[in-house]
């Protein structure tokens, strides 16, 4: 299938949400036409990961915009009871100040410290750090050619700044403290393009690049990101720059997945799919973040067979299972099973 035809076919299909996709698959597209159900998929066989680790440069960028501050464990949670507040006033730990012509009560640091010791207040959980450590360690050990993944904070300051932490091995990241930027302030906006350019320009001569952006998904420069992504995809298609893969990882309780999906499904006019997105809590295996790295001509298993929901064979890959495959089956089939490597992987096609 020609590049433009491949992308056109996918735009007519429904992409299954990631929480419905078996961990062995990257993306699954379903298109029903008449009495047939057409399926396109990407697949990754875990045992073959080692063969991919040549020529890759990797990076993990952590969103440091103001909306992410709580997720770094930087917010106080709870409430000081009225009786304790009166006590603090008597001790001079809560004082009145004039701000913008109004008298307001301000708690001094000693009040917060005491309230935390007494269990009235606590710091929010740092959910970014454990996830970031996992991604950094995985990319460093399984993919990066140098065994070290570059880590930066992005969306600092006015939303376009970034702070470089350095390169870390899987061993180093086990104790890496990630509590937000230290030399810059949490950002007033969330601009992704500067962080993209940092990795792409720093590793412009890399044979391949994979860069993961951890965020709550609220981008202020989405249109610019789309334009820059389209330019990159067309350059890669024209072979004027090397291949890169970009992944958005959503964290927190208020993720704007709509924007992430827009990038994931972006039509660049060529059959180069740069963006993938995952929700952190929905990941069943870290290998899911690299399932989209394989090319359509890469064979990931010697043979494979696809069966519909009745158990009837609908496709046999006798010459090898490609990383990007397709088949069709009866439209009333609610799922298919991919038999490969002595196991059967069941995948629904119903949203």
């Amino acid at each position: 299938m020609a590049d433009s035809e491949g992308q056109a076919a996918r735009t007519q299909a429904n992409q299954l949400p990631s929480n419905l996709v078996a961990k062995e698959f990257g993306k699954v597209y379903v298109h029903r036409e008449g009495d047939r159900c057409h399926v396109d998929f990407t697949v990754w066989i875990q045992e073959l990961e080692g063969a991919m680790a040549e020529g890759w440069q990797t990076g993990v960028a952590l969103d440091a915009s103001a909306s992410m501050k709580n997720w770094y464990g930087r917010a106080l949670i709870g409430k000081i009871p009225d009786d304790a507040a009166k006590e603090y006033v008597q001790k001079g730990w809560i004082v009145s100040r004039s701000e913008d012509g109004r008298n307001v009560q301000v708690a001094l640091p000693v009040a917060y410290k005491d309230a935390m010791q007494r269990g009235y207040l606590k710091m929010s959980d740092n959910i970014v750090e454990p996830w970031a450590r996992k991604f950094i360690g995985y990319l460093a050990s399984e993919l990066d050619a140098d065994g070290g993944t570059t880590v930066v904070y992005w969306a600092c300051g006015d939303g376009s700044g970034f702070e470089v932490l350095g390169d870390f091995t899987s061993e180093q990241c086990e104790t890496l403290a990630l509590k937000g930027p230290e030399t810059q302030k949490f950002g007033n906006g969330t601009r992704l393009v500067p962080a993209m350019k940092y990795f792409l320009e720093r590793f412009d001569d890399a044979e391949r690049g994979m860069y993961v952006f951890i965020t709550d998904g609220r981008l202020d420069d989405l249109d610019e990101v789309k334009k820059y992504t389209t330019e990159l995809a067309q350059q890669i298609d024209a072979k004027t720059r090397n291949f890169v893969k970009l992944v958005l990882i959503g964290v927190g309780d208020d993720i704007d997945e709509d924007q992430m999906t827009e990038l994931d499904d972006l039509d660049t006019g060529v059959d180069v799919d740069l963006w993938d997105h995952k929700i952190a809590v929905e990941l069943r295996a870290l290998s899911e973040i690299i399932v989209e790295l394989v090319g359509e001509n890469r064979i990931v298993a010697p043979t494979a067979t696809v069966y519909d929901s009745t158990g009837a064979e609908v496709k046999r890959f006798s010459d090898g299972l490609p990383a990007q495959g397709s088949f069709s089956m009866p439209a009333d089939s609610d799922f298919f099973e991919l038999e490969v490597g002595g196991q059967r992987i069941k995948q629904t096609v119903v949203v």
Side-chain angles (χ1 to χ4, degrees):
M1 182 179 290
D3 290 349
S4 58
E5 292 175 348
Q7 183 137 18
R10 285 195 294 275
T11 57
Q12 296 173 14
N14 292 317
Q15 181 183 344
L16 295 184
S18 59
N19 63 311
L20 296 182
V21 177
K23 63 183 177 61
E24 291 83 0
F25 293 106
K27 294 178 182 175
V28 177
Y29 297 89
V30 179
H31 175 56
R32 285 183 169 81
E33 187 176 20
D35 62 352
R36 304 300 293 173
C37 175
H38 303 283
V39 178
D40 289 272
F41 63 85
T42 58
V43 66
W44 180 252
I45 306 302
Q46 177 83 9
E47 290 76 10
L48 300 181
E49 281 182 11
M52 289 290 292
E54 289 188 13
W56 288 94
Q57 290 295 333
T58 63
V60 172
L62 311 177
D63 187 344
S65 59
S67 65
M68 288 286 295
K69 192 171 183 178
N70 290 3
W71 306 123
Y72 285 98
R74 303 282 287 268
L76 281 172
I77 297 175
K79 183 179 184 299
I80 300 175
D82 291 341
D83 57 346
K86 291 178 181 177
E87 177 188 337
Y88 292 165
V89 170
Q90 292 173 351
K91 291 182 175 181
W93 294 356
I94 293 181
V95 299
S96 294
R97 290 179 180 171
S98 178
E99 292 184 1
D100 296 327
R102 296 183 300 113
N103 287 327
V104 296
Q105 287 192 316
V106 178
L108 302 180
V110 64
Y112 288 118
K113 181 178 180 181
D114 185 78
M116 292 179 69
Q117 289 175 342
R118 294 161 71 170
Y120 302 143
L121 302 175
K122 68 174 185 176
M123 300 303 295
S124 57
D125 293 332
N126 184 342
I127 67 170
V128 175
E129 184 176 83
W131 279 114
R133 286 176 176 176
K134 289 179 182 179
F135 295 127
I136 297 164
Y138 183 79
L139 292 176
S141 63
E142 299 295 335
L143 201 64
D144 196 276
D146 305 317
T149 293
T150 303
V151 183
V152 304
Y153 290 112
W154 62 283
C156 302
D158 65 357
S160 63
F162 52 87
E163 179 180 311
V164 181
L165 279 71
D167 296 352
F168 299 91
T169 65
S170 57
E171 293 78 14
Q172 290 172 328
C173 76
E174 291 177 2
T175 56
L176 180 61
L178 299 167
K179 305 184 186 303
E182 296 182 1
T183 63
Q184 295 204 39
K185 295 181 179 180
F186 280 90
N188 293 323
T190 310
R191 297 183 58 80
L192 181 56
V193 169
M196 293 171 63
K197 287 184 176 180
Y198 169 77
F199 286 126
L200 293 165
E201 291 173 2
R202 174 177 173 179
F203 300 116
D204 64 336
D205 59 347
E207 187 176 343
R208 307 176 184 89
M210 181 175 187
Y211 310 113
V212 173
F213 302 84
I214 296 178
T215 181
D216 58 8
R218 301 175 183 176
L219 305 177
D220 294 323
D221 61 343
L222 182 61
D223 289 341
E224 189 178 350
V225 173
K226 289 180 178 179
K227 182 175 182 293
Y228 186 47
T229 298
T230 299
E231 293 171 356
L232 286 172
Q234 292 174 351
Q235 291 168 8
I236 292 169
D237 185 66
K239 302 189 185 309
T240 57
R241 74 160 298 128
N242 292 332
F243 179 77
V244 297
K245 189 66 185 179
L246 310 171
V247 183
L248 285 168
I249 303 290
V251 297
D253 295 333
D254 192 22
I255 301 168
D256 188 345
E257 193 174 2
D258 289 343
Q259 287 192 337
M260 301 170 77
T261 301
E262 279 192 59
L263 287 179
D264 202 334
D265 296 340
L266 181 64
D267 184 353
T268 61
V270 294
D271 199 27
V272 176
D273 185 11
L274 291 188
W275 282 106
D276 191 14
H277 89 279
K278 305 289 182 182
I279 304 302
V281 296
E282 295 177 0
L283 284 171
R284 293 140 299 179
L286 289 178
S287 59
E288 289 185 50
I289 66 173
I290 69 169
V291 75
E292 289 292 306
L293 297 182
V294 290
E296 64 179 335
N297 297 320
R298 183 178 179 83
I299 299 300
V300 297
T303 61
T305 306
V306 180
Y307 301 90
D308 66 15
S309 58
T310 69
E313 179 181 314
V314 294
K315 178 82 171 187
R316 180 182 292 272
F317 296 97
S318 56
D319 295 326
L321 174 65
Q324 296 182 27
S326 63
F327 63 90
S328 67
M329 61 183 181
D332 60 358
S333 190
D334 293 337
F335 66 87
F336 69 88
E337 291 184 297
L338 177 67
E339 185 177 68
V340 58
Q343 63 175 321
R344 280 202 181 195
I345 305 165
K346 184 177 180 179
Q347 175 58 57
T348 183
V349 292
V350 178
V351 178

